[in-house]
Amino acid sequence: MMTCVLLFISLLVSSIAHAAVTVDAVMVSGGSGDFGDDSFTHMVATDANFLAVCTTTHGGSGDNNTIDGVTSNGNGLTPLVAAQSLGSLGFAHLWYQLAPSVGANDIVVDVAADPWYVNVAISFKGVVQSAPTNTQSAEGGGDVLELTITSDTDELVLDCMHIATGGGEDPIASPGSGQAQQWDAGHDTLWTVGSTMDGASPSATPDWTFGFGSTYWSHVAVSLEPMSVMGRRRVPVIWR
Amino acid sequence: MIILLLLCWVGLAVAGAPGGPPRPDRVIMPPQTYAPRAYDSGRLDVPEGAKMVWVILDRTKFMNQNARVRVTIEAQVGGQWFVIKRTGQTRGGAIVRPDKSPQTESVTFVSLPTGTDLVRTTVEVSQSAGTFGVVVRFTP
């Protein structure tokens, strides 16, 4: 009897479809720190429901590489995960906002002092409307990269990396297998790359290789859960 | 204090693609004419394949420390203009970087929204800044 009940519940639950998480739009903005805060426009589609902003900084004086906050149309984004490179030379931060405004979003990145920066706004569709729980960060130097993030097969992993190149060289970063590169931009000693990839159970490993050796890097990632068609948080794995 | 506001349109001709197959990224396309002063105006055609626009101020000739400069970048998409980036203010005079080297450029750049036909770049100067150069360039 109990087996039948469990089977019935399983069938019922599995019939709830889950929308795939997809990328809506990507906007990259950057510059030298002497310009102060960074302000740019990111267009959000009507059916997009999640906004992530990756801020990367480098070349400031020590802690002056920090970002004091990010807003979209005046509303503050929530810090999600951050990584700081060796020697505090640079940072990578991820921030997010649920249900961003449709249309033009005025993104303002509050730069603490004088770092050079590259900031990326990326909006998504089909993300469950609750705070992401699976995040990860890593810091290192040279060509050895390793970041493993808890995920699942119906999720989408976003990763963002700050790369210090020393003399302004292009690190020629290439994403690993299964990663869709979403941006690759930089100037002076700061470069940043980012990608999305399908999640995997129990974890995913966004990875990059450099054609030109970097010095230091910091890497952050988040795994985005899909929302069900009914708009609810998906059910635990055991029932699917 | 008298503040002079100069709206300087930087209209730089966009030549054809550079010779030879460009690398898929990082290539400045194409080399832009160097403007000795930021005073021109114009609408820039977006080269095919361009995804980002850069505005670079040559600081080596930007001598007046009292001057304040702000850059605004607009894009025309579907016949409508809208601001895609507006910087804070940078000042004239020398900037020494944390590694003690002089900062020779002030740089700002932004992605071009899908469907951008034209780009317009405005440099606002609070007062006479001396002679300084502006370069606008596009990258894939």
Side-chain angles (χ1 to χ4, degrees):
Chain A
M1 181 62 181
M2 180 59 71
T3 301
C4 291
V5 171
L6 290 174
L7 179 61
F8 174 77
I9 294 175
S10 296
L11 290 173
L12 178 64
V13 168
S14 64
S15 67
I16 300 174
H18 295 95
V21 177
T22 57
V23 175
D24 168 41
V26 181
M27 193 72 172
V28 180
S29 174
S32 49
D34 55 293
F35 273 122
D37 295 347
D38 192 27
S39 175
F40 61 100
T41 303
H42 176 69
M43 300 299 294
V44 174
T46 54
D47 51 350
N49 69 352
F50 188 92
L51 173 65
V53 173
C54 175
T55 61
T56 58
T57 56
H58 190 88
S61 35
D63 290 340
N64 290 337
N65 282 310
T66 57
I67 298 295
D68 286 342
V70 180
T71 60
S72 176
N73 288 345
N75 300 310
L77 272 67
T78 303
L80 189 58
V81 61
Q84 175 178 328
S85 77
L86 298 174
S88 301
L89 292 175
F91 288 80
H93 295 240
L94 271 175
W95 311 69
Y96 80 96
Q97 183 182 67
L98 302 175
S101 304
V102 173
N105 279 246
D106 182 21
I107 308 293
V108 178
V109 178
D110 185 353
V111 182
D114 58 353
W116 292 44
Y117 49 75
V118 177
N119 303 308
V120 182
I122 177 167
S123 44
F124 294 88
K125 303 176 181 179
V127 181
V128 67
Q129 293 298 280
S130 59
T133 54
N134 290 330
T135 63
Q136 189 56 274
S137 65
E139 306 84 30
D143 296 333
V144 180
L145 308 180
E146 184 173 351
L147 187 153
T148 300
I149 181 171
T150 302
S151 184
D152 205 344
T153 53
D154 57 356
E155 297 183 3
L156 188 73
V157 174
L158 165 68
D159 77 297
C160 170
M161 176 174 281
H162 141 265
I163 307 167
T165 63
E169 306 90 348
D170 180 354
I172 314 177
S174 300
S177 176
Q179 291 171 245
Q181 184 170 311
Q182 296 294 344
W183 70 86
D184 178 5
H187 58 103
D188 199 70
T189 55
L190 167 64
W191 292 83
T192 180
V193 292
S195 74
T196 53
M197 65 184 299
D198 291 339
S201 178
S203 62
T205 308
D207 189 21
W208 295 85
T209 57
F210 299 137
F212 185 91
S214 74
T215 51
Y216 301 126
W217 50 265
S218 43
H219 197 184
V220 290
V222 58
S223 188
L224 301 174
E225 296 182 28
M227 65 188 301
S228 73
V229 170
M230 298 170 66
R232 293 201 298 258
R233 191 180 183 90
R234 74 175 185 194
V235 296
V237 174
I238 58 173
W239 294 115
R240 290 187 287 117
Chain B
M1 183 176 68
I2 300 176
I3 296 177
L4 300 176
L5 178 63
L6 303 176
L7 296 178
C8 307
W9 304 103
V10 182
L12 301 173
V14 177
R23 289 174 53 200
D25 58 1
R26 299 291 173 255
V27 173
I28 300 168
M29 46 173 257
Q32 303 293 321
T33 303
Y34 184 85
R37 292 175 63 95
Y39 60 91
D40 204 355
S41 67
R43 300 176 176 188
L44 306 179
D45 289 323
V46 176
E48 185 176 353
K51 294 182 179 177
M52 201 167 291
V53 58
W54 298 60
V55 178
I56 303 167
L57 305 181
D58 179 355
R59 299 194 61 86
T60 63
K61 301 174 182 176
F62 184 11
M63 303 304 290
N64 185 349
Q65 295 186 18
N66 294 320
R68 296 291 183 269
V69 176
R70 184 192 300 274
V71 176
T72 301
I73 303 173
E74 297 168 274
Q76 178 179 277
V77 182
Q80 289 193 327
W81 287 94
F82 62 94
V83 174
I84 57 174
K85 177 153 188 174
R86 181 170 169 81
T87 71
Q89 290 183 326
T90 188
R91 64 170 178 81
I95 293 179
V96 179
R97 301 177 54 164
D99 64 1
K100 310 304 181 187
S101 64
Q103 180 179 323
T104 58
E105 296 177 336
S106 290
V107 177
T108 187
F109 62 90
V110 68
S111 297
L112 296 171
T114 302
T116 300
D117 302 314
L118 297 169
V119 167
R120 188 163 60 191
T121 302
T122 306
V123 180
E124 299 171 64
V125 184
S126 65
Q127 57 183 278
S128 178
T131 301
F132 65 99
V134 177
V135 173
V136 178
R137 70 187 190 192
F138 295 92
T139 54

